[in-house]
Amino acid sequence: MDGGELVRSVGRLRTLGARPGLRAVRWAWRRRRTDAVARAGRGAELARVPGPLVGAQAAPGGGVVRFARSELRIVVAVGGAVFWGWDGAGPEPSYALAAPVPEPDPRAGLEPDTDGGWRVVSQRVTVAVSRLGAVEVRTPGGVVLRRDLPPRWWEPEGGGPGRWSVRTEVAADARFFGLGGRSAGPRLRDGAYRLWNTDPGGSFGPGDDPLSVTMPVQLVVADAGTHLVFHDSTWDGLVTLREGREGDGSGHDRPGTVELRMSGGPLRCWVVVGTPARVLARWSRLTGPAAVPPSWALGPQHARWGFGDQEEVWRVVTGYRERGLALSAVHLDIDHLDERRVFTVDRARFPDLPGLAARSRAAGVRLVSIVDPAVRAGRGDAVYESGRRIGAFVRDGRGREVRGEVWPGACAYPDFTDPVVRRWWGEWYAERLGLGFSGVWHDMNEPVAFAPFGEATLPRSARHVLEGRGGDHREAHNVYGLAMARAGYEGLRRLRPGERPFLFSRSGWVGLQRYGGTWSGDVTSSWAGLRASLALVLGLGLCGVPYSGPDVGGFDGVPSPELYLRWFQLGAYLPLFRTHSALGAGRREPWEFGPMVLEHAGAALVERERLRPYLVTLAHLARLTGAPYVRPLWWDAPGDRELRDCGDAFLLGDALLVAPVLEPGVARRTVRLPRGRWYDTVSGRAYDGPGRVLLEAPVSRIPVLARAGSVVPVRGVDGGIELEVWAPVPGRKGGGLVVPDPGDGWERAEIERYAVRWAAGRVVVRRVRGDGAVRPDRPVRVRGGRGQR
């Protein structure tokens, strides 16, 4: 344990108090003893490599290549995604994939390769296997995107799960992204990144790793092409990255390398090749489309740990309304619960939650409830008694309930990897809905069991159902939050089948987007925390989770007015826009930071609401195409090396470039522009990329640029959709998509397509339909050029 971990542990114990803190020590000691009894040392291990190639057999979409001590199955699926698995591993069962798994591509076939190897050739990708078990992924033109060297296994002599590692070489110019939510991104520099969902035990900033959402998903971007690789094992792992170096003059290139070490699970992976947009589209088809949040959840939201009572909540709601500030939701933390127990209410401080919810909703504000997985273990607790009757809780190897110390005290943990338990848990959300809550946020679901020293989680030997296969916490830990999100989402769908659920979760795994989104967790209130917030959102989007955002202002500490305002201005352009703070860390209402901050934060809220139709469009397009709302600057130009290295600005959809201020005292900042013309959305000044430009960033706003030729749906003065069209470069065309809000139910989203061009010295906008081009039936405002329609 390092000094930071010790400080966080002591701080957590102080928060708990003396007696609960002593219980946490006892539970931590018991957890270690349980693991020591249930899991003997690994003992002697046998190392293994595939050995020489001995034969191959063709099958639909690929085939099986056999080696002396292993075999490799390769399948190219319809759509171009490639699967391979060693030692008989197939794509199922998997927590990551959405059923059904895509069918093999009948046009792909296994054939002999040079030097005694084999290859599978398809329209979009070629996979070559050497005679010693190296696997290369090549473009149709034969350029190597990645080369996995023969893997190695270490298996206990007495049997049991084996650990494995694989080392990969990529191009010298390649850059790494992804691996879930990483505070040091979006470009992942040289270093080791752990694959183990972790509560940092306090606030975090850049360099703190791992965090609550880790994923074995890498996006590799190089001149030769972009590819995504996913190693489908839920076990603890470590990814070590080392960027390559291009030789000077006649010097040789040093390839970039990735070493993946997993403590168990199958050695199987998926690879998707193409442009970033095509890669994310195919990835979305594999892991499932993103849930579309209700449109109100794309508005500004406010949370605080420590509201005190329901009248304080109402004062916040009326405070926003009286100052003319937009607010869509208020989130209630654990302080509204009775003794912090799940699915309860402190009736003394919140005597009429349904009435509060009704009053707030009449004011246009929804209530959202926190839900933690830990259930206080004690007779008289309705949730515990109900779960105990059906055997819902995680047990150890001797059949005893596993306990841990969390906010309510000694707690048991539902086993969400059991379908019966998921359904039981989902029914409890009726209590939340009955109180008037419109959505939920899952917290502490890594899962957390407070521990003064060591990892704050369940014993690794704890037993889980794992969909009937059975196994222990080593396999279940990383998908615990994902399975809880599934339980909550499916429960809300059953209880209110006519409404799309609103759910986001602190922890999760590959596929979390099917049930909702996530947020940063307890990011530190500092300029470093502000920078980490953007890194997390960008990284998660590239892993297929498009809806996320930070605690605006940071979770702990009291941000300066300048830091709060710059964070607020960034949050206004992120998918989940939520202020939040810890108990005793100050308030996050804009008026608490003085009149200057209130004025400029109010302007950011006005712009957020004006862009609501655009955010609705991006939400539905994320579901349909897999494209995240927030995208790196290289999204459309992955070959631009300078853009690949830029992590302090981003694209919001196709149309807008947002350049937040991430340092104190900044009034102007430089931005590397992608190719094309870009307009400052305030001054209208045009800039041409690629290249660096210096933009004004006064305290009143952050720079936002619009792409020439784009169509941005915005909210007009009458509340309807208006088209804000940015003039294309003369002689060129443009266009865009608009998805009108279909409501918060399950109505099919209709896509409107618009084309933009110059004609007779005017910008002409046409709505494109199947029967030809017609005049748009929405108001149009052209900016950056003359005329309209």
Side-chain angles (χ1 to χ4, degrees):
M1 166 177 282
D2 63 25
E5 289 173 330
L6 178 60
V7 169
R8 288 191 289 266
S9 296
V10 172
R12 176 65 61 75
L13 293 182
R14 286 177 177 169
T15 302
L16 286 170
R19 292 182 63 186
L22 290 174
R23 285 201 301 265
V25 174
R26 184 182 66 185
W27 293 123
W29 176 81
R30 180 176 294 179
R31 185 191 67 207
R32 290 194 174 193
R33 187 182 65 177
T34 298
D35 275 347
V37 171
R39 295 175 56 212
R42 296 181 65 91
E45 293 180 319
L46 299 175
R48 175 168 61 93
V49 295
L53 192 152
V54 297
Q57 181 178 351
V64 176
V65 182
R66 295 186 176 87
F67 299 86
R69 291 179 291 277
S70 186
E71 68 177 30
L72 174 66
R73 176 189 175 191
I74 304 174
V75 180
V76 177
V78 172
V82 180
F83 170 83
W84 69 74
W86 288 91
D87 291 345
E92 297 179 302
S94 171
Y95 277 97
L97 304 186
V101 174
E103 293 293 324
D105 185 345
R107 298 169 296 179
L110 184 67
E111 60 186 44
D113 199 9
T114 58
D115 297 327
W118 290 81
R119 65 183 181 183
V120 179
V121 180
S122 70
Q123 183 180 5
R124 295 186 175 93
V125 66
T126 295
V127 182
V129 183
S130 78
R131 53 192 176 84
L132 291 179
V135 181
E136 288 186 352
V137 177
R138 305 170 182 166
T139 67
V143 178
V144 177
L145 295 178
R146 64 182 293 115
R147 185 173 190 265
D148 286 9
L149 302 179
R152 297 178 65 90
W153 293 266
W154 292 268
E155 295 157 334
E157 277 189 337
R163 55 192 179 95
W164 52 266
S165 74
V166 62
R167 182 180 174 87
T168 302
E169 295 179 348
V170 297
D173 66 284
R175 297 293 181 260
F176 303 108
F177 301 87
L179 296 181
R182 302 288 170 171
S183 62
R187 173 186 168 190
L188 301 178
R189 306 282 179 163
D190 292 2
Y193 300 87
R194 192 178 175 196
L195 299 169
W196 187 255
N197 291 349
T198 302
D199 170 19
S203 60
F204 67 87
D208 288 325
D209 190 85
L211 300 176
S212 297
V213 186
T214 67
M215 297 182 185
V217 179
Q218 301 169 48
L219 195 70
V220 184
V221 184
D223 289 353
T226 300
H227 73 273
L228 178 148
V229 59
F230 164 50
H231 286 88
D232 194 353
S233 171
T234 65
W235 289 61
D236 193 358
L238 190 70
V239 181
T240 303
L241 303 177
R242 183 184 180 192
E243 292 182 350
R245 181 177 179 180
E246 293 181 297
D248 297 325
S250 59
H252 294 291
D253 287 353
R254 186 190 73 192
T257 61
V258 182
E259 184 177 22
L260 173 61
R261 290 180 173 268
M262 299 296 292
S263 61
L267 203 176
R268 57 183 181 176
C269 74
W270 289 88
V271 175
V272 184
V273 174
T275 64
R278 288 179 178 175
V279 165
L280 267 293
R282 292 167 189 156
W283 180 236
S284 175
R285 287 195 288 270
L286 273 177
T287 60
V292 178
S295 59
W296 60 263
L298 295 169
Q301 304 176 52
H302 185 87
R304 189 201 308 162
W305 178 12
F307 272 121
D309 57 31
Q310 70 178 50
E311 289 309 311
E312 173 63 13
V313 175
W314 181 244
R315 280 194 291 272
V316 169
V317 172
T318 56
Y320 273 84
R321 185 171 59 177
E322 289 168 356
R323 293 168 176 83
L325 302 176
L327 182 65
S328 288
V330 171
H331 298 214
L332 302 190
D333 211 315
I334 56 175
D335 45 301
H336 87 279
L337 302 172
D338 182 19
E339 298 179 331
R340 298 174 172 177
R341 294 177 298 149
V342 67
F343 300 125
T344 64
V345 175
D346 184 336
R347 299 291 180 182
R349 293 185 297 120
F350 290 83
D352 185 19
L353 253 181
L356 173 64
R359 280 191 296 166
S360 299
R361 189 158 182 168
V365 178
R366 313 289 183 113
L367 294 188
V368 176
S369 172
I370 191 172
V371 175
D372 287 357
V375 176
R376 190 170 76 172
R379 297 189 183 277
D381 186 282
V383 182
Y384 176 73
E385 294 284 6
S386 172
R388 190 171 62 88
R389 285 193 293 270
I390 66 168
F393 301 112
V394 175
R395 296 179 178 273
D396 64 20
R398 290 187 282 180
R400 301 175 305 179
E401 285 181 3
V402 171
R403 301 288 175 83
E405 188 75 20
V406 200
W407 300 122
C411 291
Y413 295 80
D415 183 4
F416 296 114
T417 70
D418 183 344
V420 173
V421 174
R422 286 199 297 269
R423 186 170 185 91
W424 163 77
W425 184 262
E427 296 305 314
W428 279 100
Y429 288 75
E431 182 268 351
R432 298 285 93 180
L433 296 179
L435 292 170
F437 287 109
S438 298
V440 296
W441 54 295
H442 290 172
D443 203 352
M444 308 293 286
N445 58 339
E446 284 77 14
V448 174
F450 295 156
F453 308 105
E455 290 182 337
T457 189
L458 303 186
R460 294 195 172 209
S461 59
R463 303 300 300 173
H464 292 264
V465 171
L466 287 166
E467 316 307 320
R469 302 189 310 277
D472 62 32
H473 196 66
R474 294 174 296 173
E475 183 178 356
H477 174 86
N478 279 336
V479 294
Y480 190 88
L482 174 71
M484 181 186 180
R486 179 179 177 181
Y489 181 83
E490 291 177 348
L492 291 170
R493 284 203 63 172
R494 289 193 300 269
L495 292 166
R496 286 193 177 167
E499 295 183 14
R500 296 197 306 274
F502 176 56
L503 181 152
F504 63 104
S505 171
R506 189 171 83 176
S507 185
W509 202 63
V510 181
L512 176 63
Q513 75 281 352
R514 298 192 296 262
Y515 314 117
T518 185
W519 91 104
S520 65
D522 302 342
V523 63
T524 184
S525 296
S526 67
W527 290 94
L530 170 59
R531 186 176 291 272
S533 296
L534 177 56
L536 285 158
V537 174
L538 281 165
L540 287 163
L542 295 175
C543 291
V545 181
Y547 183 80
S548 69
D551 285 343
V552 168
F555 182 69
D556 71 332
V558 180
S560 68
E562 182 189 11
L563 173 58
Y564 174 82
L565 178 59
R566 291 308 196 185
W567 214 319
F568 201 91
Q569 290 167 337
L570 167 63
Y573 294 94
L574 298 180
L576 172 59
F577 181 21
R578 183 182 85 146
T579 58
H580 189 35
S581 60
L583 186 66
R587 302 163 68 110
R588 294 291 188 267
E589 296 86 1
W591 55 88
E592 295 292 335
F593 294 85
M596 182 271 290
V597 170
L598 175 60
E599 177 187 355
H600 300 322
L605 287 174
V606 169
E607 182 64 7
R608 171 77 177 204
E609 288 301 281
R610 194 180 76 92
L611 289 175
R612 183 84 73 90
Y614 185 51
L615 293 166
V616 169
T617 294
L618 295 180
H620 285 279
L621 292 180
R623 176 175 180 82
L624 294 170
T625 70
Y629 313 34
V630 170
R631 308 165 189 177
L633 293 186
W634 48 259
W635 178 259
D636 295 315
D640 187 325
R641 295 189 179 188
E642 286 199 49
L643 291 181
R644 294 206 295 259
D645 295 342
C646 179
D648 62 354
F650 61 92
L651 299 175
L652 182 62
D654 286 330
L656 301 180
L657 188 157
V658 182
V661 173
L662 305 177
E663 296 175 349
V666 170
R668 306 169 81 190
R669 60 152 297 177
T670 59
V671 177
R672 168 75 181 183
L673 293 182
R675 184 176 299 277
R677 178 165 294 176
W678 298 85
Y679 297 99
D680 186 303
T681 56
V682 173
S683 68
R685 179 179 175 181
Y687 301 88
D688 289 322
R692 290 190 173 273
V693 296
L694 182 64
L695 301 176
E696 297 296 322
V699 68
S700 59
R701 65 180 178 91
I702 57 176
V704 178
L705 306 179
R707 189 192 301 268
S710 62
V711 177
V712 182
V714 298
R715 180 175 289 174
V717 293
D718 62 350
I721 294 178
E722 177 182 290
L723 302 183
E724 187 170 79
V725 177
W726 292 89
V729 175
R732 297 185 181 179
K733 299 178 180 180
L737 304 176
V738 177
V739 181
D741 187 359
D744 293 339
W746 299 97
E747 294 82 0
R748 180 179 177 181
E750 299 293 334
I751 300 178
E752 299 176 2
R753 292 175 169 83
Y754 292 91
V756 181
R757 62 183 178 88
W758 283 94
R762 294 167 59 87
V763 175
V764 178
V765 183
R766 293 286 186 264
R767 181 173 175 184
V768 181
R769 290 177 173 159
D771 56 355
V774 298
R775 292 176 64 86
D777 50 10
R778 297 191 181 281
V780 174
R781 184 162 65 103
V782 175
R783 301 187 62 185
R786 303 187 305 277
Q788 68 179 42
R789 296 200 179 185

